[in-house]
PDB file of all heavy atoms in Angstrom:
ATOM      1  N   LYS A  20      24.888  -7.342  21.025  1.00 59.00           N
ATOM      2  CA  LYS A  20      25.283  -8.203  22.142  1.00 59.00           C
ATOM      3  C   LYS A  20      26.328  -9.225  21.714  1.00 59.00           C
ATOM      4  O   LYS A  20      27.294  -9.502  22.445  1.00 59.00           O
ATOM      5  CB  LYS A  20      24.048  -8.899  22.702  1.00 59.00           C
ATOM      6  CG  LYS A  20      24.330  -9.769  23.919  1.00 59.00           C
ATOM      7  CD  LYS A  20      23.047 -10.388  24.451  1.00 59.00           C
ATOM      8  CE  LYS A  20      23.332 -11.263  25.670  1.00 59.00           C
ATOM      9  NZ  LYS A  20      22.079 -11.870  26.198  1.00 59.00           N
ATOM     10  N   GLY A  66     -26.241  13.491  -3.259  1.00 76.00           N
ATOM     11  CA  GLY A  66     -26.634  14.837  -3.668  1.00 76.00           C
ATOM     12  C   GLY A  66     -27.276  14.890  -5.039  1.00 76.00           C
ATOM     13  O   GLY A  66     -28.213  15.662  -5.259  1.00 76.00           O
ATOM     14  N   GLU A 143      18.693   2.147   2.720  1.00 73.00           N
ATOM     15  CA  GLU A 143      19.952   1.961   3.409  1.00 73.00           C
ATOM     16  C   GLU A 143      19.699   1.387   4.804  1.00 73.00           C
ATOM     17  O   GLU A 143      18.706   1.722   5.453  1.00 73.00           O
ATOM     18  CB  GLU A 143      20.715   3.281   3.520  1.00 73.00           C
ATOM     19  CG  GLU A 143      21.111   3.848   2.149  1.00 73.00           C
ATOM     20  CD  GLU A 143      21.833   5.173   2.248  1.00 73.00           C
ATOM     21  OE1 GLU A 143      21.572   5.908   3.217  1.00 73.00           O
ATOM     22  OE2 GLU A 143      22.646   5.461   1.358  1.00 73.00           O
ATOM     23  N   LYS A 144      20.585   0.517   5.257  1.00 59.00           N
ATOM     24  CA  LYS A 144      20.527  -0.063   6.603  1.00 59.00           C
ATOM     25  C   LYS A 144      19.217  -0.789   6.851  1.00 59.00           C
ATOM     26  O   LYS A 144      18.530  -0.552   7.841  1.00 59.00           O
ATOM     27  CB  LYS A 144      20.750   1.020   7.664  1.00 59.00           C
ATOM     28  CG  LYS A 144      22.100   1.707   7.553  1.00 59.00           C
ATOM     29  CD  LYS A 144      22.301   2.722   8.653  1.00 59.00           C
ATOM     30  CE  LYS A 144      23.667   3.371   8.553  1.00 59.00           C
ATOM     31  NZ  LYS A 144      23.902   4.365   9.621  1.00 59.00           N
ATOM     32  N   PRO A 149      17.864  -7.502   4.436  1.00 59.00           N
ATOM     33  CA  PRO A 149      18.951  -6.855   3.696  1.00 59.00           C
ATOM     34  C   PRO A 149      18.821  -6.964   2.192  1.00 59.00           C
ATOM     35  O   PRO A 149      19.343  -6.120   1.475  1.00 59.00           O
ATOM     36  CB  PRO A 149      20.198  -7.589   4.201  1.00 59.00           C
ATOM     37  CG  PRO A 149      19.690  -8.912   4.669  1.00 59.00           C
ATOM     38  CD  PRO A 149      18.331  -8.639   5.228  1.00 59.00           C
ATOM     39  N   THR A 155       6.314   0.448  -6.973  1.00 87.00           N
ATOM     40  CA  THR A 155       5.011   1.070  -6.724  1.00 87.00           C
ATOM     41  C   THR A 155       4.642   1.939  -7.920  1.00 87.00           C
ATOM     42  O   THR A 155       5.520   2.437  -8.642  1.00 87.00           O
ATOM     43  CB  THR A 155       5.015   1.951  -5.463  1.00 87.00           C
ATOM     44  OG1 THR A 155       5.864   3.092  -5.684  1.00 87.00           O
ATOM     45  CG2 THR A 155       5.529   1.179  -4.264  1.00 87.00           C
ATOM     46  N   GLU A 181      24.460  -8.605 -13.492  1.00 88.00           N
ATOM     47  CA  GLU A 181      23.447  -9.464 -14.127  1.00 88.00           C
ATOM     48  C   GLU A 181      22.331  -9.823 -13.150  1.00 88.00           C
ATOM     49  O   GLU A 181      21.158  -9.887 -13.516  1.00 88.00           O
ATOM     50  CB  GLU A 181      24.107 -10.748 -14.653  1.00 88.00           C
ATOM     51  CG  GLU A 181      25.024 -10.539 -15.847  1.00 88.00           C
ATOM     52  CD  GLU A 181      26.372  -9.956 -15.448  1.00 88.00           C
ATOM     53  OE1 GLU A 181      26.689  -9.955 -14.221  1.00 88.00           O
ATOM     54  OE2 GLU A 181      27.113  -9.498 -16.342  1.00 88.00           O
ATOM     55  N   VAL A 183      21.376  -7.999 -10.498  1.00 89.00           N
ATOM     56  CA  VAL A 183      20.564  -6.798 -10.300  1.00 89.00           C
ATOM     57  C   VAL A 183      19.635  -6.578 -11.487  1.00 89.00           C
ATOM     58  O   VAL A 183      18.472  -6.187 -11.326  1.00 89.00           O
ATOM     59  CB  VAL A 183      21.464  -5.560 -10.084  1.00 89.00           C
ATOM     60  CG1 VAL A 183      20.625  -4.281 -10.062  1.00 89.00           C
ATOM     61  CG2 VAL A 183      22.253  -5.689  -8.782  1.00 89.00           C
ATOM     62  N   LEU A 194       4.672  -4.689 -13.081  1.00 87.00           N
ATOM     63  CA  LEU A 194       3.889  -3.637 -13.741  1.00 87.00           C
ATOM     64  C   LEU A 194       3.331  -4.135 -15.070  1.00 87.00           C
ATOM     65  O   LEU A 194       2.176  -3.846 -15.408  1.00 87.00           O
ATOM     66  CB  LEU A 194       4.763  -2.400 -13.973  1.00 87.00           C
ATOM     67  CG  LEU A 194       5.336  -1.727 -12.724  1.00 87.00           C
ATOM     68  CD1 LEU A 194       6.081  -0.456 -13.118  1.00 87.00           C
ATOM     69  CD2 LEU A 194       4.243  -1.408 -11.720  1.00 87.00           C
ATOM     70  N   ILE A 210     -13.119  -6.680   0.887  1.00 82.00           N
ATOM     71  CA  ILE A 210     -14.006  -5.760   1.608  1.00 82.00           C
ATOM     72  C   ILE A 210     -15.458  -6.040   1.259  1.00 82.00           C
ATOM     73  O   ILE A 210     -16.336  -6.091   2.141  1.00 82.00           O
ATOM     74  CB  ILE A 210     -13.634  -4.298   1.284  1.00 82.00           C
ATOM     75  CG1 ILE A 210     -12.252  -3.960   1.839  1.00 82.00           C
ATOM     76  CG2 ILE A 210     -14.673  -3.333   1.856  1.00 82.00           C
ATOM     77  CD1 ILE A 210     -11.744  -2.604   1.432  1.00 82.00           C
ATOM     78  N   PRO A 235     -36.047  -7.467  17.369  1.00 50.00           N
ATOM     79  CA  PRO A 235     -34.696  -7.385  16.780  1.00 50.00           C
ATOM     80  C   PRO A 235     -33.762  -6.513  17.579  1.00 50.00           C
ATOM     81  O   PRO A 235     -32.555  -6.694  17.536  1.00 50.00           O
ATOM     82  CB  PRO A 235     -34.970  -6.813  15.382  1.00 50.00           C
ATOM     83  CG  PRO A 235     -36.389  -7.178  15.092  1.00 50.00           C
ATOM     84  CD  PRO A 235     -37.094  -7.124  16.407  1.00 50.00           C
TER      85      PRO A 235
END
Side-chain angles (χ1 to χ4, degrees):
K20 183 178 180 180
E143 297 178 331
K144 299 183 178 180
T155 67
E181 290 77 14
V183 173
L194 299 185
I210 294 173

